[in-house]
Structure formats: structure tokens, C-alpha cells
Amino acid sequence: MFIGRVEDIVPGMEAAFVNIGADKNGFLYRNELIAYDTLKDDKEPDVKQPTIASMLKEGQSIIVQVTKEAVGAKGVRLTEKISLPGKYIVYLPYGNYVAVSKKMNEENRKGWREKAREWIEDREGIIIRTNAEDASHEEIYHEFTLLRHQHQQMLQQAEKVNVPNVLLNQSSLISRVQRDYLTNKNSEIVVDHFESYEQLLNSSLEGCNIHLYQEKEDIFSYYDIEKHLEKALHEKVWLKSGGFLIIEKTEALTVIDVNTGKFTGKHNLRDTVVKTNIEAAYAVAQQLRLRNIGGIILIDFIDMKVESDQKSVLKALKEATKNDRTLTNVAGFTNFGLVEMTRKKARKPLHDIMMESCSVCKGTGQVLSLKSKIAHLEREVFALRYIDQDAILVEVDSAVYESLLQNNNDLLTSMEQVVNKTIYLVNGENGHLPTIRLIGDYDEIKASWEKRMKEV
């Protein structure tokens, strides 16, 4: 949540650009304004709708929420219609409606709808989530009042801070885990940070398995997360049967091609094709979540001539995507035999977070981003926190070297404090991941570092 400043109004697009303190101004459409709903409701259907210029002025301060992260050259998408998600409900200060999860039975939905209408005032709105079905009215009302109070505090803070400014950060990893995963008693969460562990433990449901990881090995290495991240960046994804997917992302859509590969089956061609396609359907759903792919998605399954086979594959795809926390819609087969589906763009895809354009080939290729390299260095250094040595010599490329020593010295100091060791950096070959070259006592590592620096 931000308080921003209206920088520019574009009448032809019925939109405005809002400065929220990011690199690029955010984009705010007319129909995302609270005033638009109010004025629109007061007008007859055939009367001209209010323009954005009649509701906003350049230089005006406005409280907005990010609905879609920046992608490429586009800034974040914004709304004035704020929503505050909780464990059981979503509070809508200006929503003016009540909604209840369709996954509840109709009797429970009716009861919650009536109860919610008793709570809301003025233009408030509320969405009752599926998790509320087994909770008491007191628990839900308590969360409702907390979220309402949070909104009121945010409005008070907006009057005191400079513009632009952050009013509420809803994107922290711990808050997302609390909101999305602690509602399931079958969840198992492993965390290696004690304060975060306590925070999750105190807010979890009875029966949730929350473990504090205390091994010496880095948690990413122990659970092979690095390997899974690397696989999730590859175009080719192998299936257990020997078939494979090819995932290609463009700015407009994502195309997924299914191939039988090494899988030859045991019976006939039709059986082989159907089995591969069904396996691929579940793999596609998994890859969409892992890579956080959103937008329009086209899947080119292996050709099936029999309609019942197509229905079986479509059923498998719908089954595989039904528990996706991001809104997903499987439209079905097009006239050209492709399956069309959509997945809401909520956050940046993994590829955009982990990779950046290669400066050598002018953007035609991709390399690991600076942030990814520094994060890798942090994990490598953190894994050495229990080793009884005084210093570490790390070889990094010029981008990491410059960032840590010139632009981000506080991060390097923080890393040294966490592991209680002095970290010496030497400039290595560009494009390579940070590599720990030596670990030893302070004098030994310092001497090696000075020798390497003279050679440069």
C-alpha cells in the first residue's frame, strides 16, 4: 500500500500515472477509482460516464494498492479500491458488497452472507474465504475488526508521511506464508530463522507442522532448492515417462509443447499419446505454479483424434489446477486443437526475478541477475557460519564486486556480522557465480587477498 502523487493524466486512455517512489510510475485506470463507482452508480445507463480528469488532478496525493507488479517496460498496475487479506476474510474498505467462497455448501454461504452484512458499515465490503467454514463467528469478527483498524491506522499514517511513501507492506514472505499456508492443518513449513519460526508458530493452527532448521548445511542445499530453481529456468522439462515439455514465454503469452520423447508405451499409439498428455497436464499445472507464469497460456498436447481422449486430458488439467491459489481458468480446446487457459498475473514470474538481459548479446540472451548472484553469495557464506575460521576469500564477477564494495557496503558488513567472519572479495571472470576460494585464519586469508589484488 502506498501514498502516491498523480504525475500525469492521460484522457485518451482514461488513466493516470502515479509516482509511488518506484523506478517507473504506476498505472491507474479510471475504473479503479473509488469516486468512479460512486459517480457511475448515480447516473442513468445512457448518461455519459465521468472522466478521469474530473476525478483526479495532477499533483494530487492518492492512496493506492499494487494489483500487478511491473513487467518489462511497464510499471505496476494500481487501484484505489484497497483490499486487506486475512486468514479467513478479505476486508474491502470501499467494496460495498459481500461475497462468500463458492467452495462452501449453500447453507453455510447463506449464513455467512447474512452475518457479514450485520458487520459492515457505509461502503465497506467483505469476502469470506473457504478457511472460514470451520471457524466461529467470534474468530471471523475479531479478524474483521483487526483489518478495519489496520486500514484506519494506515489512513492516519498517510497524513503524516512524505509523498510518495510506503504505508503497508503486504509482500513480505512471512506474511504471505501466514495468510496462505497456515490455514491448512496439513501444511509443513521449515524455516531457518528463529524469529520467523516463533512468529509462524504463534500464528499457526493446531496441527500445523512448523520446524526450525538447525543443521550446519545451508537450507537451500539441504533440500536441493538450488537444483529445482535451476530446472525451473530451463525451457525443457522432462516427464517421468520419458516425454517432455517445451515451455516458451513471449510478452503476449506462454506456449507449452508436449512431446512423447523417449516414451513408446506398452500397448498402442493412442494409449501412449493419452498417457503422455495426462502426465503432461499435471506437469504443466506444477510448472505454472513453480515459475509463477500468468496471462494467456496455450498448450499443444500431442494430437488426439478421439473426443473422449480430449475430455480425459482436459479433466486432468482442470483437476491439476483446481487447488492453485492463483485464479486459473481452463477454457478448453480451440478450433486448431490447442488448449487455451489463463492464469492471473499476480507477481513477477520466476524467470523475470532470477534472470536479466545479457549485456554482451544486447538482450537476445539471458544471464543470472545481479540480485540472484548476491543471494547465492549470501547462502554460500551463511552455510559457513559454524566453521571455526576467521576469514573467507570469495571470487565474484565485476558486477557483484562493484555492487558490494561501492554501492551496497552495508550488505557486506551485515553478512560479516551474521557469520562472524571477515569477507575478502576478489574480482573474477564476468558472468560466473560467486565462488568461495579459501577459508582460514585472518592473516592467511588477508595475505592471499593482497597477493591476488597485486596480480590484477
Side-chain angles (χ1 to χ4, degrees):
M1 224 79 67
F2 298 85
I3 180 166
R5 181 186 299 108
V6 178
E7 296 288 347
D8 190 23
I9 295 175
V10 189
M13 298 179 68
E14 289 295 352
F17 288 98
V18 180
N19 179 5
I20 59 171
D23 294 337
K24 300 183 183 72
N25 290 335
F27 196 70
L28 177 66
Y29 277 114
R30 175 186 63 174
N31 60 358
E32 294 297 335
L33 293 172
I34 300 167
Y36 176 70
D37 285 348
T38 307
L39 293 170
K40 182 185 66 173
D41 292 344
D42 292 340
K43 289 188 177 292
E44 297 296 327
D46 56 343
V47 177
K48 188 177 179 181
Q49 296 299 317
T51 66
I52 193 165
S54 68
M55 294 179 283
L56 283 184
K57 303 298 179 188
E58 288 185 15
Q60 175 183 338
S61 295
I62 184 171
I63 296 175
V64 289
Q65 184 176 24
V66 174
T67 58
K68 186 186 293 185
E69 290 189 5
V71 178
K74 299 176 182 177
V76 296
R77 186 78 61 82
L78 302 172
T79 183
E80 196 186 11
K81 301 171 187 176
I82 291 165
S83 61
L84 296 172
K87 189 183 291 187
Y88 301 112
I89 68 167
V90 178
Y91 173 61
L92 311 167
Y94 314 105
N96 202 28
Y97 70 90
V98 172
V100 184
S101 168
K102 292 182 180 179
K103 293 183 180 179
M104 293 188 190
N105 64 56
E106 191 53 43
E107 186 178 345
N108 282 350
R109 292 184 71 208
K110 183 180 178 181
W112 277 118
R113 204 177 288 114
E114 292 173 354
K115 183 58 66 175
R117 288 197 181 106
E118 295 175 12
W119 296 339
I120 60 175
E121 301 173 357
D122 300 324
R123 290 185 63 83
E124 286 181 326
I126 185 173
I127 300 172
I128 308 291
R129 305 176 71 183
T130 310
N131 305 322
E133 190 162 25
D134 298 323
S136 66
H137 289 169
E138 291 76 17
E139 285 178 289
I140 306 304
Y141 184 69
H142 177 66
E143 184 173 80
F144 173 74
T145 56
L146 286 177
L147 293 173
R148 176 192 271 168
H149 180 64
Q150 187 179 53
H151 176 245
Q152 291 168 350
Q153 284 185 315
M154 190 183 69
L155 294 181
Q156 293 170 6
Q157 184 187 356
E159 296 176 358
K160 302 173 184 176
V161 300
N162 296 325
V163 182
N165 220 315
V166 179
L167 298 178
L168 179 65
N169 183 3
Q170 295 178 299
S171 62
S172 75
L173 179 60
I174 296 301
S175 63
R176 293 208 306 270
V177 170
Q178 285 176 314
R179 186 171 65 242
D180 296 336
Y181 295 98
L182 292 186
T183 54
N184 185 350
K185 292 183 179 180
N186 297 320
S187 294
E188 182 175 359
I189 299 167
V190 183
V191 58
D192 64 349
H193 185 257
F194 184 73
E195 285 75 13
S196 300
Y197 167 73
E198 284 193 317
Q199 189 178 342
L200 291 171
L201 201 63
N202 292 333
S203 59
S204 66
L205 291 173
E206 185 179 349
C208 276
N209 298 311
I210 302 174
H211 306 291
L212 178 63
Y213 179 82
Q214 294 178 291
E215 301 297 326
K216 292 184 178 181
E217 188 179 3
D218 169 61
I219 190 170
F220 268 52
S221 301
Y222 186 85
Y223 287 100
D224 268 347
I225 295 174
E226 292 271 13
K227 183 175 73 176
H228 289 293
L229 283 173
E230 186 182 347
K231 284 184 178 180
L233 296 173
H234 290 172
E235 283 190 352
K236 180 179 283 190
V237 178
W238 286 100
L239 305 176
K240 289 182 179 179
S241 64
F244 61 89
L245 311 177
I246 297 292
I247 303 175
E248 295 184 358
K249 187 178 180 302
T250 70
E251 190 169 345
L253 50 80
T254 300
V255 180
I256 302 176
D257 186 36
V258 182
N259 297 273
T260 54
K262 304 172 187 175
F263 184 50
T264 56
K266 295 181 178 180
H267 301 289
N268 53 50
L269 178 60
R270 178 185 168 188
D271 180 68
T272 301
V273 167
V274 173
K275 283 185 176 179
T276 304
N277 282 341
I278 289 176
E279 184 186 8
Y282 284 95
V284 164
Q286 182 188 47
Q287 289 299 318
L288 294 180
R289 292 194 298 272
L290 280 175
R291 299 171 187 236
N292 200 22
I293 294 173
I296 299 171
I297 299 151
L298 292 178
I299 309 169
D300 186 10
F301 286 105
I302 304 165
D303 287 345
M304 294 172 287
K305 305 298 182 185
V306 182
E307 187 177 350
S308 61
D309 293 345
Q310 293 182 350
K311 288 182 178 178
S312 296
V313 172
L314 211 57
K315 181 181 176 182
L317 183 60
K318 290 179 179 179
E319 177 71 24
T321 57
K322 73 176 184 180
N323 292 323
D324 194 332
R325 294 180 182 276
T326 301
L327 182 63
T328 304
N329 177 43
V330 179
F333 281 89
T334 68
N335 292 335
F336 296 104
L338 304 174
V339 169
E340 184 179 14
M341 64 178 291
T342 60
R343 188 170 184 270
K344 185 178 178 181
K345 289 182 177 180
R347 297 188 185 92
K348 283 185 179 181
L350 179 67
H351 183 275
D352 289 1
I353 295 171
M354 296 285 292
M355 307 299 284
E356 63 185 20
S357 295
C358 174
S359 59
V360 177
C361 57
K362 307 302 180 186
T364 58
Q366 296 282 313
V367 294
L368 272 177
S369 67
L370 176 61
K371 285 184 179 179
S372 296
K373 292 174 187 175
I374 291 176
H376 176 83
L377 173 59
E378 287 184 278
R379 292 192 291 270
E380 291 290 299
V381 170
F382 188 67
L384 303 176
R385 63 194 184 280
Y386 297 120
I387 292 176
D388 188 22
Q389 300 289 352
D390 301 322
I392 307 168
L393 181 68
V394 186
E395 185 177 316
V396 298
D397 71 5
S398 57
V400 176
Y401 187 85
E402 182 180 339
S403 176
L404 290 177
L405 290 184
Q406 296 180 19
N407 305 331
N408 206 359
N409 193 258
D410 289 343
L411 177 56
L412 184 60
T413 303
S414 174
M415 289 165 59
E416 290 179 323
Q417 290 172 348
V418 168
V419 298
N420 196 27
K421 292 171 179 55
T422 302
I423 301 173
Y424 287 98
L425 301 180
V426 292
N427 214 333
E429 191 173 342
N430 283 339
H432 284 197
L433 280 172
T435 305
I436 293 173
R437 294 301 185 192
L438 287 174
I439 307 166
D441 62 56
Y442 179 82
D443 292 335
E444 176 192 356
I445 299 302
K446 184 179 180 181
S448 297
W449 172 74
E450 289 175 342
K451 182 181 178 182
R452 289 285 298 268
M453 294 301 288
K454 289 177 182 178
E455 294 172 354
V456 176

